[in-house]
Amino acid sequence: MSQEVEQFLQMVKESDNIVFFGGAGVSTESGIPDFRSVDGLYHQKYDYPPETILSHTFYMNHTAEFYRFYRDKMLCLDAKPNMAHRMLAKLEEAGKLKAVVTQNIDGLHQLAGSKRVLELHGSVHRNYCRSCGKEFDARYILEGTDAIATCDVCGGSVKPDVVLYEEGLDDRTLNDAIYYISHADMLIVGGTSLAVYPAAGLVDYYSGKKLVLINKTVTPMDRKADLVIHEPIGEVFGQIIL
């Protein structure tokens, strides 16, 4: 066990108001690709870059192509929670973790048992008809035979409840995240390059002395952190003993 991990475990032991803020790297150990790593979506070949496809403009103007990419790359419905997801749920159950703030849309935190999950970018598991408002699950989208997902009641276009590029974050979710982060005695930031704003700016609301960054690569916040661990997040969380 490294000295950094030992220090992390001691911080967890001494804290009872922990908030976790995570990104795509939390789910890569579950087999879900991230965007910016060497093997991520940005390094794969498509007619358009993922950032363009996952934009509001592209969804509106090229809906069929959006859904072709979305079904193929964004709906990883067979993925299972990994050690990081499971230990965060156990920390919450033990009363030490107060909230998970996530940029992920895969729902794995909830599947692992976490109750208070703030999904900054929405969820693939929520979808709604833009005409009548009927809700649909992710399986309906994945298994649809039409090029564009449509409502089985009114025939309207169905949109995933995810925040696309050019769209704003949900105000209530954002405000709740700010509240929990600003009141935390320990903030663990994991599996995120802290490159996507405004989500990455949430770290600035933490004013405590136990800011821990767990990420395989360097982030812009490393110099501000009280502890930096460049190890796989699942391996680090797997060493927590409650």
Side-chain angles (χ1 to χ4, degrees), residues 5-210:
V5 173
E6 287 185 1
Q7 186 178 349
F8 168 69
L9 297 179
Q10 186 62 31
M11 286 182 173
V12 171
K13 182 178 180 181
E14 296 171 351
S15 305
D16 59 7
N17 188 356
I18 303 171
V19 171
F20 179 79
F21 174 59
V26 178
S27 293
T28 54
E29 292 174 53
S30 294
I32 297 179
D34 69 2
F35 281 87
R36 292 174 174 81
S37 71
V38 173
D39 298 316
L41 293 178
Y42 276 105
H43 293 265
Q44 299 178 26
K45 303 297 182 181
Y46 300 97
D47 292 339
Y48 303 89
E51 194 170 59
T52 297
I53 298 174
L54 297 175
S55 69
H56 178 81
T57 298
F58 195 91
Y59 168 78
M60 296 299 293
N61 296 334
H62 307 278
T63 311
E65 182 66 13
F66 167 88
Y67 266 112
R68 187 171 73 87
F69 176 88
Y70 184 81
R71 286 172 171 140
D72 185 35
K73 295 299 180 183
M74 306 304 291
L75 294 179
C76 305
L77 302 187
D78 294 327
K80 305 298 182 185
N82 59 53
M83 182 59 73
H85 298 109
R86 295 195 296 270
M87 284 308 305
L88 286 166
K90 290 182 179 179
L91 285 169
E92 182 184 33
E93 186 179 10
K96 297 179 74 67
L97 182 79
K98 303 307 179 185
V100 168
V101 181
T102 181
Q103 299 174 81
N104 296 340
I105 59 176
D106 51 48
L108 291 182
H109 285 294
Q110 292 93 327
L111 191 59
S114 290
K115 305 299 183 186
R116 188 171 288 114
V117 181
L118 306 178
E119 296 173 310
L120 295 173
H121 296 155
S123 172
V124 299
H125 297 284
R126 298 189 301 269
N127 306 271
Y128 63 92
C129 174
R130 297 177 64 238
S131 297
C132 71
K134 182 179 178 180
E135 298 178 354
F136 299 89
D137 62 16
R139 190 67 61 181
Y140 180 87
I141 303 298
L142 181 62
E143 297 176 353
T145 57
D146 295 333
I148 298 174
T150 55
C151 178
D152 60 4
V153 173
C154 73
S157 175
V158 175
K159 183 182 182 299
D161 188 15
V162 299
V163 179
L164 303 176
Y165 290 101
E166 303 170 346
E167 296 179 342
L169 302 186
D170 177 74
D171 285 341
R172 180 173 180 178
T173 303
L174 187 60
N175 289 333
D176 286 348
I178 291 171
Y179 173 83
Y180 282 107
I181 289 174
S182 63
H183 286 80
D185 64 359
M186 179 179 185
L187 177 62
I188 306 171
V189 180
T192 174
S193 61
L194 293 173
V196 177
Y197 283 81
L202 289 172
V203 179
D204 293 331
Y205 287 94
Y206 178 70
S207 58
K209 300 298 183 182
K210 288 185 280 188

